[in-house]
Amino acid sequence: MMLSVDPGIHTGWALWGAARLYEYGTINFDGNLLHWEDKARDVSIKFDNLFKHISGPENIKEVVIEFPGYMAGTGGHMVATSGDLVKLAVITGMLMNCAMMNGASVEPVPVNRWKGQLPKEVCHERIKKVLKDTQFEKTSSHSLDAIGIGLWKLGRFK
């Protein structure tokens, strides 16, 4: 099985087997936590629990995770100077380490490699067209991004 991941304080994930989407969701931090470090640790623990929940002979062998990078332009500059890019890099590293400690191979994929310059809304509409038989009524943008990363890995995101 493969797990595709959109990392962050709200981490989207999608579980794939035989090129089929099995399950997806979003890992959110405990709302009572105040400090970023505690939120990141909480998400990492919940991510580790996801691996332990999906066990047995078809456990997760591969993780494809969006890898943060500096984006040129005003928005990218604001993210970098605010410290959010560093925070995203840290939590991405925490999740990658968790995956490797659970025996999965990890493939980091830069955002511009899997979706190019597509705006989030266009990207999400393409995902919904590819998986037209899937219900996405209560889906977060984070889990939709994780699904898009999985579709890209499978060669189905155009």
Side-chain angles (χ1 to χ4, degrees):
M1 301 202 98
M2 176 184 76
L3 190 68
S4 51
V5 181
D6 177 42
I9 285 299
H10 304 282
T11 292
W13 59 272
L15 181 64
W16 304 85
R20 179 179 165 276
L21 178 63
Y22 276 101
E23 193 175 349
Y24 61 88
T26 304
I27 299 170
N28 296 302
F29 63 87
D30 178 336
N32 295 318
L33 299 173
L34 300 176
H35 301 289
W36 181 86
E37 297 83 358
D38 295 329
K39 294 173 184 178
R41 186 178 306 106
D42 186 54
V43 169
S44 180
I45 290 167
K46 290 174 179 175
F47 187 72
D48 187 58
N49 288 338
L50 179 66
F51 272 85
K52 291 176 177 38
H53 172 71
I54 303 167
S55 60
E58 291 186 293
N59 60 352
I60 302 165
K61 300 290 185 202
E62 179 180 17
V63 172
V64 182
I65 187 168
E66 186 177 273
F67 195 72
Y70 176 75
M71 304 295 249
T74 306
H77 181 70
M78 285 175 32
V79 168
T81 57
S82 72
D84 287 347
L85 184 59
V86 172
K87 290 176 180 176
L88 181 57
V90 168
I91 197 164
T92 301
M94 292 170 75
L95 299 178
M96 290 171 66
N97 183 64
C98 175
M100 290 184 286
M101 295 300 290
N102 278 287
S105 67
V106 176
E107 179 181 353
V109 179
V111 64
N112 61 347
R113 188 163 159 215
W114 79 266
K115 76 171 195 169
Q117 298 295 317
L118 287 178
K120 195 172 273 292
E121 300 78 27
V122 173
C123 181
H124 293 171
E125 286 306 312
R126 287 188 181 182
I127 291 164
K128 290 174 182 177
K129 282 182 185 174
V130 172
L131 298 173
K132 59 184 172 272
D133 295 331
T134 304
Q135 298 295 321
F136 291 112
E137 291 155 5
K138 295 184 179 182
T139 307
S140 76
S141 66
H142 309 290
S143 58
L144 276 174
D145 283 349
I147 292 167
I149 294 163
L151 287 172
W152 171 85
K153 177 64 179 170
L154 296 169
R156 295 174 57 197
F157 186 77
K158 309 266 188 264

